[in-house]
Amino acid sequence: MTSHFRSARSIRVAITCDDAPSIAADGPGARLDPTRLDRIRVALERAEVPSCVAFVIGRHGREQPDPLARWLEAGFELGNHTDDHAPASRTPATRFRESVEACDALLERLGSFRAGRRRWFRFPYLDRGADSSSRGELADCYQQAGYALA
């Protein structure tokens, strides 16, 4: 018996990946491997996925910009995942702002926001801050840079 799901509304699915270009290379014993992003890009292209946002750790992206450039050339998007990937609840707002701005500078150099591409931001570890006051202050950091939260 075959069952089909039907909806009067269209369904939208967002596909994203974090920690580009190495994808999950942070942590003890982890090795920076920018070929992971290339492998993901090729798989998405083969599956004819029309859109995907890869969130970039700036310090890794400066070391390995080529996979990021290929990602953009394929028509996918890059988002800001901060420069140092530090948890927001353990990062002073001034330092957090500097990290957002440093990653932003890399993304600008790569041409991430040309052709009307949206400016996306994702907090490392989805950690938005220690309390409501700091969460508001940290949200200002990415909002003032023109980012939408993903």
Side-chain angles (χ1 to χ4, degrees):
M1 179 170 164
T2 303
S3 172
H4 296 281
F5 174 77
R6 295 178 194 252
S7 173
R9 294 181 291 151
S10 64
I11 297 172
R12 294 179 60 188
V13 176
I15 299 177
T16 66
C17 53
D18 286 359
D19 305 346
S22 63
I23 314 299
D26 273 359
R31 186 177 59 83
L32 181 66
D33 184 0
T35 66
R36 290 181 184 127
L37 188 62
D38 283 324
R39 292 193 309 267
I40 290 170
R41 176 184 46 78
V42 168
L44 292 171
E45 289 174 322
R46 284 185 183 150
E48 298 180 13
V49 172
S51 178
C52 183
V53 180
F55 289 90
V56 176
I57 299 174
R59 65 185 159 97
H60 292 176
R62 279 190 304 282
E63 293 171 18
Q64 296 290 332
D66 293 342
L68 300 174
R70 289 188 291 273
W71 183 266
L72 290 171
E73 288 168 13
F76 298 125
E77 297 177 77
L78 296 175
N80 190 323
H81 205 37
T82 72
D83 198 62
D84 57 11
H85 201 252
S89 61
R90 295 188 224 143
T91 306
T94 302
R95 177 66 197 118
F96 189 82
R97 182 179 311 278
E98 291 168 353
S99 187
V100 169
E101 291 170 351
C103 186
D104 183 68
L106 168 66
L107 296 175
E108 285 284 356
R109 278 193 306 276
L110 290 169
S112 299
F113 311 120
R114 291 184 194 140
R117 288 184 173 142
R118 190 149 189 196
R119 299 170 74 89
W120 291 108
F121 177 81
R122 177 169 289 151
F123 281 95
Y125 310 103
L126 302 178
D127 176 352
R128 295 183 185 201
D131 55 44
S132 62
S133 175
S134 64
R135 283 190 289 275
E137 192 174 6
L138 296 174
D140 285 344
C141 295
Y142 70 81
Q143 289 170 348
Q144 287 177 5
Y147 286 97
L149 184 62

